[in-house]
């Protein structure tokens, strides 16, 4: 897959898939451009289709300066490359969401369970990484 650069001003409303648009992946610091990996969009769309409910994105692409201000962020976070999203679905538990993501990422990708904050981190890195944070 490929990482693409988009402009929020120019492409914010652009559909990336049936249910996802460029604006949903924007860094919380409101910067431009926005980097998004096609494989991440495909993963999120599969999750959306499986549960039949909106997938809410807390955080996707992050600039280095914004990432550095995050308490639990890795210095080399996949968010920096447009390859990660922190997601939740109303009425779906962290465990159920992570378990389904596991079926889509056997042997690769990152899946982190964040119970206190109520979301699951998913990313499309080449190696497998799993973690739990209370």
């Amino acid at each position: 897959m490929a990482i693409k650069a988009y402009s929020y001003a120019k492409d914010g409303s652009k559909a990336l898939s049936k249910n996802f648009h460029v604006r949903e992946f924007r860094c919380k610091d409101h910067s431009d451009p926005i980097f998004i990996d096609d494989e991440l969009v495909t993963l999120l769309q599969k999750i959306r289709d499986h549960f039949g409910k909106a997938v809410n994105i807390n955080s996707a692409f992050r600039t280095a300066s914004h990432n550095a201000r995050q308490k639990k962020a890795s210095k080399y976070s996949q968010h920096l490359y447009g390859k990660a999203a922190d997601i939740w679905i109303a009425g779906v538990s962290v465990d159920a969401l992570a378990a389904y993501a596991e079926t889509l990422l056997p042997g690769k990708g990152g899946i982190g369970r964040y119970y206190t904050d109520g979301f699951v981190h998913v990313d499309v890195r080449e190696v497998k990484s799993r973690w739990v944070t209370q």
Side-chain angles (χ1 to χ4, degrees):
M1 293 292 190
I3 298 171
K4 296 180 181 167
Y6 298 92
S7 166
Y8 180 79
K10 185 177 131 195
D11 305 312
S13 297
K14 179 181 174 110
L16 299 171
S17 71
K18 184 170 67 172
N19 297 103
F20 293 96
H21 296 82
V22 169
R23 65 179 168 265
E24 297 173 85
F25 295 81
R26 187 180 194 192
C27 183
K28 300 300 182 204
D29 69 4
H30 303 291
S31 60
D32 225 351
I34 305 165
F35 295 94
I36 308 168
D37 190 309
D38 290 340
E39 189 177 358
L40 177 64
V41 175
T42 299
L43 174 69
L44 295 176
Q45 187 61 54
K46 287 178 180 178
I47 292 169
R48 167 69 172 84
D49 292 343
H50 174 77
F51 288 103
K53 295 174 141 185
V55 173
N56 302 285
I57 300 174
N58 288 345
S59 180
F61 172 68
R62 292 183 194 152
T63 61
S65 60
H66 182 71
N67 191 66
R69 293 190 301 270
Q70 305 309 299
K71 288 187 294 186
K72 299 175 185 175
S74 164
K75 184 176 180 180
Y76 301 104
S77 171
Q78 296 298 305
H79 290 278
L80 295 168
Y81 312 108
K83 298 175 78 66
D86 297 337
I87 60 173
W88 60 276
I89 301 173
V92 176
S93 71
V94 166
D95 285 332
L97 181 51
Y100 183 66
E102 187 68 48
T103 70
L104 300 173
L105 295 167
K108 69 173 279 187
I111 301 172
R113 298 172 194 230
Y114 290 80
Y115 291 106
T116 301
D117 297 318
F119 70 84
V120 174
H121 167 100
V122 294
D123 69 57
V124 292
R125 70 182 82 185
E126 290 303 313
V127 298
K128 182 177 181 177
S129 181
R130 305 293 185 265
W131 66 95
V132 175
T133 302
Q134 297 300 322

